[in-house]
Amino acid sequence: WNYIGYVGQRNLNVNDAFGAFGSKQNDLVKGQTNFAVYDSTLGWIGSLSVLMPGRGYQYYSHSDGILRYPRSAMFGKTNLTEKELVSNFWKLSPYKYESNMNLIVISNLCEEVQASGHVLLGAFDGNELLGFTKPQRVGDAYLYFLTVAGESGKSIQFRFLDDKTGDEYGSSFESKFEASQVKGTIQKPILILSDKSIPCRIDSKLESGITLDAFPNPFQTETRLKIVLAEESELELSVIDLTGKRLHQQNLGKLPKGSQFTNLNFSSLSQGVYLVEVRSDKDVQKIKIIKAE
């Protein structure tokens, strides 16, 4: 870890700030409440997107180098800003503790819920809130970039919050607090399951094309995929990992209008999160599936 000060005179995008440094895969920069991780394909991804004058940060580097901010950091004006995440129901005091740790998390919540942006993930020690964040789309999945303040050795619990209704959803997942540690990666995020399903908000105007569902989900070996078609269609099915790599493809043939089911066996895949894509000549839909232990 390296302590760094941002000496620019205007707010600067993280990708621009470290553009000349030669960042390596899984390098990480963090403030007190947010962070970003470097991916060699996607660039800097996370809850921290802007460096601000007068603030200090920590940078974890996988190689030696000299950090030079671009000259553009010293001149001109910008509309860039890093808005603090505020909840209607959760109140956070992030400066109570000296240390924090970072987690990259994926959940079992449906895409419609996460796309709404108001279902938050929080970390707790008992009833004390230690950090929270909202989901962010990365490729074909939604990830939570969560910064947790605390003290070493404490057991951390997790909850989801619908910030519009105030409803909370617990999780059986727990983690020990480890100062300055990073748990999970963009390629292999930590899986945190909600104990109860949050109702999906399906667009009522979706009257044509393909809709998908899977049960059970999460699953251990097999899941049953439900496909609903608005009209007879020739379909192709693919299984994709979170890096976008297609692990399996098959032609389902021409299927009739209405509902049909197909069983999918994933015994050869490791634990994790995958996408099932079903494509016709008029539509393409994806559903997230989770293989548990």
Side-chain angles (χ1 to χ4, degrees):
W1 284 103
N2 303 268
Y3 285 97
I4 61 173
Y6 175 56
V7 297
Q9 300 302 304
R10 66 185 185 99
N11 294 354
L12 192 65
N13 181 278
V14 171
N15 280 289
D16 294 333
F18 302 118
F21 178 63
S23 302
K24 303 297 182 183
Q25 183 74 22
N26 293 325
D27 276 10
L28 185 142
V29 61
K30 68 177 180 178
Q32 288 181 292
T33 60
N34 47 19
F35 75 102
V37 63
Y38 183 76
D39 181 88
S40 57
T41 302
L42 302 173
W44 287 95
I45 302 292
S47 53
L48 175 66
S49 60
V50 176
L51 299 189
M52 301 179 67
R55 294 195 179 181
Y57 301 89
Q58 285 183 283
Y59 190 106
Y60 186 87
S61 176
H62 287 81
S63 64
D64 295 335
I66 298 175
L67 173 60
R68 294 184 177 92
Y69 295 115
R71 287 179 58 83
S72 60
M74 302 300 294
F75 307 104
K77 297 181 179 180
T78 178
N79 293 322
L80 288 175
T81 186
E82 191 79 82
K83 291 185 178 179
E84 180 182 359
L85 179 61
V86 177
S87 167
N88 294 318
F89 300 94
W90 284 349
K91 305 304 177 186
L92 177 66
S93 300
Y95 313 117
K96 179 178 178 180
Y97 296 98
E98 177 184 5
S99 302
N100 62 30
M101 70 176 186
N102 306 104
L103 298 91
I104 302 175
V105 174
I106 196 166
S107 76
N108 60 330
L109 306 181
C110 69
E111 183 168 322
E112 289 84 1
V113 166
Q114 296 179 96
S116 71
H118 56 74
V119 176
L120 310 178
L121 172 64
F124 290 82
D125 174 23
N127 286 321
E128 181 183 5
L129 180 65
L130 301 176
F132 69 92
T133 191
K134 64 180 181 179
Q136 180 175 334
R137 190 175 186 108
V138 179
D140 289 317
Y142 282 89
L143 300 180
Y144 290 86
F145 294 86
L146 178 61
T147 298
V148 182
E151 295 177 345
S152 294
K154 286 194 173 184
S155 181
I156 309 301
Q157 302 85 44
F158 298 87
R159 304 177 201 167
F160 293 94
L161 168 72
D162 187 327
D163 205 46
K164 280 193 172 180
T165 65
D167 294 331
E168 291 191 3
Y169 303 80
S171 173
S172 60
F173 181 84
E174 293 190 4
S175 178
K176 288 291 184 183
F177 183 89
E178 299 176 69
S180 299
Q181 293 300 302
V182 183
K183 299 187 177 185
T185 66
I186 291 176
Q187 292 73 28
K188 292 185 178 181
I190 294 173
L191 174 60
I192 296 183
L193 305 178
S194 171
D195 289 342
K196 294 182 179 180
S197 176
I198 301 176
C200 290
R201 299 162 176 81
I202 303 297
D203 189 344
S204 61
K205 295 184 291 185
L206 188 64
E207 299 172 349
S208 62
I210 305 166
T211 58
L212 302 175
D213 196 9
F215 183 84
N217 190 22
F219 62 93
Q220 292 183 318
T221 302
E222 289 189 349
T223 186
R224 195 178 195 205
L225 182 67
K226 178 182 179 181
I227 305 172
V228 183
L229 299 176
E231 58 185 40
E232 183 181 70
S233 304
E234 183 88 21
L235 299 181
E236 183 178 77
L237 181 147
S238 301
V239 179
I240 308 168
D241 67 15
L242 291 183
T243 68
K245 181 180 180 182
R246 293 183 184 270
L247 306 176
H248 172 76
Q249 284 184 275
Q250 69 180 90
N251 192 308
L252 297 178
K254 184 171 287 188
L255 299 181
K257 175 182 177 180
S259 300
Q260 35 265 311
F261 299 86
T262 183
N263 291 328
L264 300 175
N265 187 302
F266 292 98
S267 57
S268 62
L269 296 181
S270 58
Q271 177 190 4
V273 180
Y274 302 90
L275 298 170
V276 173
E277 177 188 273
V278 176
R279 180 182 296 270
S280 71
D281 60 347
K282 294 183 179 179
D283 192 17
V284 57
Q285 293 293 330
K286 297 175 183 176
I287 186 172
K288 179 174 61 180
I289 58 171
I290 301 168
K291 184 175 182 183
E293 291 182 341

